[in-house]
Amino acid sequence: MMQLNYVEPSHPTVIVHQMTQLDNSTASRLHNLGIRPGSELTVLRKYPFHGPVIIEFDAQRIGIRYTVFTALLGGD
Amino acid sequence: MTVVALLGNPNTGKTTLFNELTDNYSYVGNWEGVTVEKKVGKIHHSEMMVVDLPGIYSLNPITKDEAVAVNCLLHDSPDIILNVTNACQLKRNLLLSIELLEFGQPTVIALNMIDDLKRSGIAYNLGILSAKLGCRFCTTNARNKEGLEQLKADLLNSPTQATEPLALNYPSDVMNSLDVASMQLVQQFNYTETFARWLTIQFMNQNHQVRQFAADKHLHPLLNQAICYDQQDYESQIFNTRFDFINEVLSDATEQQSLTNKANITAKIDYWITQPLLGLPIFVGIFYLMFKLSFDWLGTPLSGLLDSFISGPVSHTASALLTQLGAIPFLKSLIVDGVIAGVGGVLTFIPQIFILFACISLLEDSGYMSRAALVTDRLMQMFGMNGKSFIPLIIGFGCNVTGIMAARTIEQPKERLVTTLISPFISCSARLPIYGLFVAAFFQKNQALIVLSLYFLGIVVALLMAKVYQWLFKIKESSVFIVELPKYHLPRLDIIAAGTWDKGKGFIKNAGSIIFAGTVLIWLLSNLGPQGVVTNINDSFCAWIGQAALPIFQLIGVTSWATVSALLTGVLAKEVISSSMIVLFHLSGQTGLIATFSTLFTPLSAYCILIFILLYAPCFSTLSAIKTETGSIKWAAYSLISNTVIAFVIAMVVYQVGSLFM
Ligand SMILES: Nc1nc2c(ncn2[C@@H]2O[C@H](COP(=O)(O)OP(=O)(O)OP(=O)(O)O)[C@@H](O)[C@H]2O)c(=O)[nH]1
């Protein structure tokens, strides 16, 4: 296959500050995936117009909504 | 007989393992939540039953399919637990393992997807894992059938009596409460100590199902303490203890961590597939290709060949044979003009349907589906749903019944209900034959495009109705949407073949049962009348019924009673519409029908009738799926009526407006 000019982009990482702003189901789902305050998340992609955010941690990728993402960071 | 329960996180390869271990085959896909019911199989050459259960993240169920798994543990108490884990994501997989080990049944933990782990340059010392967690560990690569013999041996050698459960060092106040409550349970309710402790921990952990269980059984030692447990946030304390324990175990057990420099294929593909701007166009492009392949490039030519075979040699041979045997004309006509023409006419669509299914299976196996859920989430949100509803809808292309079942992975009950209600608008494969007939007759040049437009219309109506329901049911914005993006797999031919067969076999089975029955019924109705056997079809029962309803259908451009009668049979199963039409127009196979069509329809009325067929009353199987999933016959009745009304209104508007321009 043709080698598309792909360069491993360097992605920003963020730290989960808190999970109290989330509703119960979302919080426990994220818990089950291994996220807790203090976890380090790599942000692979953010869709424009507050679309979903793809994050990576512990060798797994998940997509979450923008509002959940900001809530994890402490609402900023 | 010993019962082994397969438990583990979603998409860890449970079903793949199940298929390899047992003599059963069930459906595999590369996204979370493929298994929605429990399936049972027997391990080759043994007396062990294996139960495949839906994937769960923890024992506290959020969705309906997760509840199935937890119920199995609570009520069926399996002898052995086989905990399937994804070796690359051991950290979070072990969170569930701990809950299972606390349950105290003999457990074997399979580190599956060990190939992916090797590629990432990590290895775990099984001895250390085994010692720390107190259960057997083995490594497997279910996709390539590696490590299965060892696993089977482990299962066969495993004790079936309760073992020493895992006991973590929870913080001291949790421990004290645990001791007190479990002691009381043992004394008052005769539970074993292990079960009592497990129940208490789960209760503290706010497991809804366990709390319900406690309420049902009046377990006062727990119920009285609930508020106290919650106030002191035992849940977080338990979670943190487990998490720290896992971190410790994993750092002890990790052996080598060579950094591989191989560029990660998944990252590369995802870089393109999930581009913010390219994501949706790529999604649309993939579907366009799928339809081109099924209808233009490959499917239709193959279907033509099959048709000339059935309406030629098969029909003629049968006819000659029956004459030779001296069959009475009535019977001969029933077999040749009824069964062979009708059922055969539907069967000629096998190529299109199977090619479409092969494409969908390919998408499923590769791991693209969850990306599709992601890129469509924003769009679906506008209609008050989430990207996960998209997967059931796509599965609905195969069959609405399986689509409705797949909706079980959606977290909120109301969203699930909406997805269930809009599923029948999705154009299932059973509707393809009738599209094929009309498209071949009226839209020779743009076959793929016209069919795609119908599929698209189905989706649009489904989404608009979702919006209406969202407003009716007052669904609020907040919905859970967390989707895992699994690693891509190189598609495997056997898995795609199995998946295609799995989806398509229903179509062939239907041909032998309901389509056959429907065809015979319509043939009888059109050959019998109030005066017995009729020679002129216009005197038959069928004509009667059709004539009665014809005035209404004239509004959408239908001019013949035969079409109306054929439409009525569609409630049995959508495929029956085409076989009924073939029988009613008394022709063999599709080709003759196509010529007749041009005298009965204009392209506009043809398109309108296709719209009507796309949207009107769901078939019996779908109706019963709606009834089971919503738990009430009301919703099934509602679907039957509302869908027919919606179909009629849309087809009428298109016809009436279209007539102004044509
Ligand atoms: N690389 C690799 N892939 C695997 C392995 N085992 C299974 N898979 C793939 O992982 C995907 C998920 O497998 P399933 O068997 O459907 O997983 P499941 O746990 O039953 O999933 P749910 O029913 O959603 O809970 C499929 O695409 C499999 O082909 C393995 O050992 N290695």
Side-chain angles (χ1 to χ4, degrees), chain B residues 555-588:
Chain B
L555 290 172
I556 61 171
V558 175
T559 51
S560 67
W561 61 260
T563 316
V564 178
S565 305
L567 286 177
L568 295 179
T569 61
V571 184
L572 289 178
K574 303 278 174 172
E575 302 96 324
V576 180
I577 306 173
S578 12
S579 61
S580 300
M581 283 205 173
I582 295 171
V583 171
L584 286 172
F585 292 119
H586 266 318
L587 301 154
S588 69

Side-chain angles (χ1 to χ4, degrees), chain B residues 8-19 26-36 52-56 65 84 111-116 119 140-146 364-367 409 486-489 492 495:
Chain B
N9 282 188
N11 207 35
T12 49
K14 289 179 298 301
T15 305
T16 314
L17 212 53
F18 175 82
N19 289 342
S26 62
Y27 178 29
V28 180
N30 192 8
W31 81 85
E32 45 185 306
V34 180
T35 313
V36 289
D52 186 21
L53 293 161
I56 48 175
D65 60 327
V84 185
L111 299 184
N112 196 29
M113 310 211 171
I114 198 70
D115 47 322
D116 282 342
R119 230 167 284 142
T140 53
N141 172 356
R143 203 171 156 87
N144 285 338
K145 313 183 203 296
E146 286 161 27
E364 286 175 354
D365 189 45
S366 65
T409 55
K487 287 203 169 64
Y488 284 107
H489 292 148
R492 274 247 314 259
I495 292 178

Side-chain angles (χ1 to χ4, degrees), chain B residues 58-180:
Chain B
S58 75
L59 290 184
N60 185 6
I62 298 182
T63 64
K64 198 172 167 185
D65 60 327
E66 289 174 331
V68 174
V70 180
N71 262 330
C72 167
L73 213 55
L74 269 181
H75 301 289
D76 307 348
S77 43
D79 302 304
I80 304 177
I81 294 173
L82 173 55
N83 178 204
V84 185
T85 62
N86 176 343
C88 306
Q89 300 165 350
L90 208 49
K91 197 189 263 185
R92 69 135 148 131
N93 279 260
L94 286 182
L95 280 169
L96 174 66
S97 308
I98 289 179
E99 291 188 89
L100 296 174
L101 289 167
E102 284 176 342
F103 189 69
Q105 278 301 320
T107 302
V108 176
I109 297 185
L111 299 184
N112 196 29
M113 310 211 171
I114 198 70
D115 47 322
D116 282 342
L117 184 74
K118 278 194 193 118
R119 230 167 284 142
S120 67
I122 299 177
Y124 292 115
N125 181 322
L126 297 190
I128 296 181
L129 286 178
S130 187
K132 295 260 180 193
L133 288 159
C135 67
R136 287 165 190 258
F137 272 84
C138 58
T139 57
T140 53
N141 172 356
R143 203 171 156 87
N144 285 338
K145 313 183 203 296
E146 286 161 27
L148 297 175
E149 284 311 314
Q150 181 59 40
L151 174 62
K152 223 186 279 182
D154 276 351
L155 287 176
L156 292 174
N157 293 332
S158 166
T160 52
Q161 299 303 312
T163 49
E164 194 61 24
L166 179 70
L168 292 190
N169 250 331
Y170 292 115
S172 56
D173 23 335
V174 176
M175 276 309 219
N176 291 338
S177 311
L178 176 60
D179 289 340
V180 174

Side-chain angles (χ1 to χ4, degrees), chain B residues 218-293:
Chain B
H218 308 291
L219 305 181
H220 299 296
L222 297 177
L223 297 171
N224 295 341
Q225 296 294 319
I227 298 173
C228 164
Y229 294 158
D230 294 348
Q231 264 172 359
Q232 301 184 45
D233 203 4
Y234 279 3
E235 190 197 1
S236 307
Q237 299 194 37
I238 292 175
F239 176 78
N240 285 328
T241 311
R242 287 177 177 165
F243 208 89
D244 294 335
F245 174 74
I246 291 170
N247 277 335
E248 190 191 300
V249 169
L250 287 185
S251 70
D252 286 352
T254 307
E255 284 202 319
Q256 93 228 26
Q257 207 153 0
S258 59
L259 274 181
T260 45
N261 250 342
K262 258 187 278 165
N264 177 340
I265 303 174
T266 295
K268 262 192 202 177
I269 300 178
D270 264 352
Y271 180 79
W272 294 103
I273 295 272
T274 63
Q275 280 281 356
L277 295 179
L278 286 179
L280 270 180
I282 287 181
F283 173 76
V284 173
I286 287 177
F287 274 83
Y288 183 70
L289 275 182
M290 239 165 71
F291 282 86
K292 269 302 217 198
L293 201 65

